[in-house]
Amino acid sequence: MSEVNEGSKELRFERHLRVLQEESAMAARELQRVDASFKFNRATGAGMPGRSEQRAVRDHESRQDGLLDIAFEKSWKFVDKDPFLAHSPRGLLRARLQTLLEVSASKGERDLLRLANGAIWKLRDEFAGHS
């Protein structure tokens, strides 16, 4: 009976291995297709943003960076004086605050007050057990 179980395990393993190999081959073909398409677009400029689109992207990134800088400065004033966070390392608090602001902004938040307050509350929640 154990020989039958061993044989069926081998068959299942071989089938599973074949499926994985087929999926891997399909993924490799898709990657080659995408890579060839990307190389064509870079060579011809087809589908690539023009100067005005590139400028618009840079302007948007610059405005977002400015918003994050202001949100960081405003929220840091509170975090720096918060007695709840007083025993936490300042460098860690600054880095975590910046990350929380960036995450909120990347999700589409553009309101300065919501950015700052959200990051402060998340920071306090994260460090609740660390004091």
Side-chain angles (χ1 to χ4, degrees):
M1 186 70 162
S2 66
E3 290 177 22
V4 172
N5 284 340
E6 291 298 320
S8 65
K9 284 182 182 178
E10 262 186 53
L11 282 174
R12 284 195 310 252
F13 175 76
E14 287 176 9
R15 273 190 240 134
H16 184 67
L17 183 60
R18 274 196 305 274
V19 168
L20 289 175
Q21 288 171 335
E22 289 170 6
E23 288 175 351
S24 178
M26 286 189 309
R29 285 192 296 272
E30 180 64 15
L31 281 173
Q32 287 174 339
R33 186 189 67 72
V34 168
D35 188 48
S37 173
F38 178 73
K39 286 178 182 172
F40 172 77
N41 284 341
R42 288 200 62 192
T44 64
M48 304 298 280
R51 281 207 163 101
S52 61
E53 289 89 357
Q54 290 172 350
R55 192 175 321 112
V57 167
R58 277 194 312 273
D59 290 347
H60 172 73
E61 289 171 351
S62 156
R63 281 192 303 275
Q64 184 172 339
D65 288 345
L67 178 67
L68 287 174
D69 289 342
I70 294 168
F72 181 85
E73 292 305 319
K74 289 196 175 294
S75 55
W76 181 250
K77 289 177 185 177
F78 290 97
V79 170
D80 193 33
K81 294 178 177 136
D82 189 340
F84 186 75
L85 299 169
H87 301 291
S88 301
R90 292 186 72 199
L92 180 60
L93 288 172
R94 289 179 71 83
R96 211 41 213 135
L97 180 61
Q98 184 68 37
T99 301
L100 290 168
L101 289 167
E102 289 170 356
V103 167
S104 292
S106 72
K107 291 180 179 178
E109 184 59 67
R110 296 294 177 261
D111 182 82
L112 183 63
L113 189 58
R114 282 194 300 260
L115 269 172
N117 285 342
I120 292 168
W121 283 109
K122 287 175 187 169
L123 193 65
R124 292 184 100 213
D125 286 345
E126 285 182 14
F127 284 86
H130 298 255
S131 55

